């Protein structure tokens, strides 16, 4: 999403300190978090916070704490996720667990979550803090559901959707809704869920696309039937045999029926598009709920946001 970021929002991201300070009893924890997780990343979630604040007419400086909280919760979830996935590399760097071992990586993730709550307790309304705590619950539930789906061939669309909403949609929902209150916040929350769903569906298409930087069908080899694999079986039940053979087998080299794979990817892309179109309509609805007619710069932010939603649906890497 960042390439389309308006220049002043890009500037807000650059001006934001995402590293955590070392004012703890054990400075090694913050330095490890900084070097393994907080120094890098796409800053997709903080970008959402700043962008929505811009649309609402709120200055970036008023929401810096929300942008940092979004990035920190995301980073804490990655610290734990890399332990769960036994991952050694993230963003081309050694993961926290690779550097410190699993036990310390879990503790460092916990510290980061606690830091979020300390910072928000000083600056954010209780309902924003409550919503973030609920988001963390959703992240855990989503990861749990995904863990239960490992190795399961017959995963139904409802279950896939639920895991996707919890694991990807929940934090994006918070990013989009935390800088306002009331009905406006609810509409933006719904919009965030739709963006999260669209984002994850496109990710699943990319997982089955060469040139995305990862091996084709990585989810499947890690034991996960994603949306594309699910659609392949819906279109042609005979694909089950091949999918079963690759499921959870890191070495598997599947030779997918190109036409079937294309049809499945097309279906998933169109599903993603539906979510992103709904997100656009919800943004329009949110604009009607603004307390005052939007100023020129708010409309500019809203228009660039909409173009980026379209670009998100067409994302190829
Ligand atoms: C990346 O998944 C992981 C997430 C989006 C969330 C993981 C959530 C938890 C581990 C629950 C605990 C949450 C907190 C806040 C402590 P992925 O493995 O599909 O993506 P990847 O390829 O980036 O690893
Ligand atoms: Mg992972």
């Amino acid at each position: 999403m960042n390439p389309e970021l308006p220049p002043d929002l890009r500037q807000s991201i650059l001006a934001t300190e995402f590293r955590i300070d070392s004012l703890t009893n054990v400075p090694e924890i913050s330095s490890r978090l900084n070097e393994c997780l907080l120094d890098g990343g796409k800053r997709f979630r903080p970008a959402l916070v700043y962008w929505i604040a811009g649309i609402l007419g709120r200055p970036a400086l008023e929401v810096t704490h929300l942008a940092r909280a979004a990035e920190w919760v995301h980073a804490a979830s990655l610290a734990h996720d890399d332990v769960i996935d036994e991952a050694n590399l993230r963003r081309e760097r050694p993961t926290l667990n690779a550097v410190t071992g699993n036990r310390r990586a879990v503790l460092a993730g916990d510290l980061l979550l606690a830091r979020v709550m300390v910072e928000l307790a000083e600056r954010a309304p209780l309902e924003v803090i409550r919503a973030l705590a609920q988001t963390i619950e959703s992240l855990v539930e989503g990861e749990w559901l995904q863990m239960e789906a490992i190795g399961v061939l017959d995963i139904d669309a409802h279950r896939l959707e639920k895991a996707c909403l919890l694991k990807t949609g929940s934090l994006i929902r918070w990013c989009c809704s935390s800088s306002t209150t009331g009905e406006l916040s609810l509409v933006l929350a719904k919009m965030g869920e739709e963006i999260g769903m669209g984002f994850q569906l496109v990710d699943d298409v990319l997982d089955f696309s060469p040139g995305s930087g990862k091996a084709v069908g990585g989810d499947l080899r890690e034991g996960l039937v994603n949306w594309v694999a699910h659609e392949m079986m819906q279109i042609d039940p005979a694909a089950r045999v091949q999918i079963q053979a690759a499921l959870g087998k890191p070495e598997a080299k599947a030779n997918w029926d190109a036409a079937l794979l294309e049809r499945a990817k097309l279906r998933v892309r169109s599903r993603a598009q539906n979510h992103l179109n709904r997100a656009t309509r919800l943004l329009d609805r949110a604009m009607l709920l603004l307390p005052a007619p939007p100023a020129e710069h708010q409309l500019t932010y809203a228009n660039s946001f909409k173009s980026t939603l379209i670009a998100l649906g067409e994302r190829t890497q």
Side-chain angles (χ1 to χ4, degrees), residues 40-85:
K42 296 189 287 288
R43 313 293 192 211
F44 172 59
R45 289 155 186 84
L48 282 174
V49 172
Y50 283 128
W51 214 324
I52 300 299
I55 293 172
L56 299 176
R58 286 194 70 179
L61 278 178
E62 279 184 22
V63 295
T64 300
H65 58 298
L66 304 177
R68 276 151 60 101
E71 188 68 3
W72 287 351
V73 167
H74 178 55
S77 80
L78 296 183
H80 289 181
D81 179 69
D82 286 336
V83 170
I84 293 167
D85 290 350

Side-chain angles (χ1 to χ4, degrees), residues 32-43 45 71 73-99 105 112 143 146 167 199-200 203 213-214 219 222:
R32 294 294 186 205
L33 281 166
N34 288 336
E35 75 192 40
C36 294
L37 282 161
L38 297 172
D39 274 343
K42 296 189 287 288
R43 313 293 192 211
R45 289 155 186 84
E71 188 68 3
V73 167
H74 178 55
S77 80
L78 296 183
H80 289 181
D81 179 69
D82 286 336
V83 170
I84 293 167
D85 290 350
E86 298 174 17
N88 292 316
L89 270 185
R90 176 170 292 281
R91 303 168 185 155
E92 293 166 0
R93 293 186 208 183
T95 52
L96 189 59
N97 47 301
V99 173
L112 194 49
E143 185 76 4
Q146 182 169 305
K167 199 183 138 185
F199 186 75
Q200 186 59 56
D203 239 32
K214 293 186 186 168
D219 286 344
E222 283 168 20

Side-chain angles (χ1 to χ4, degrees), residues 25 94 158:
N25 293 311
H158 175 69

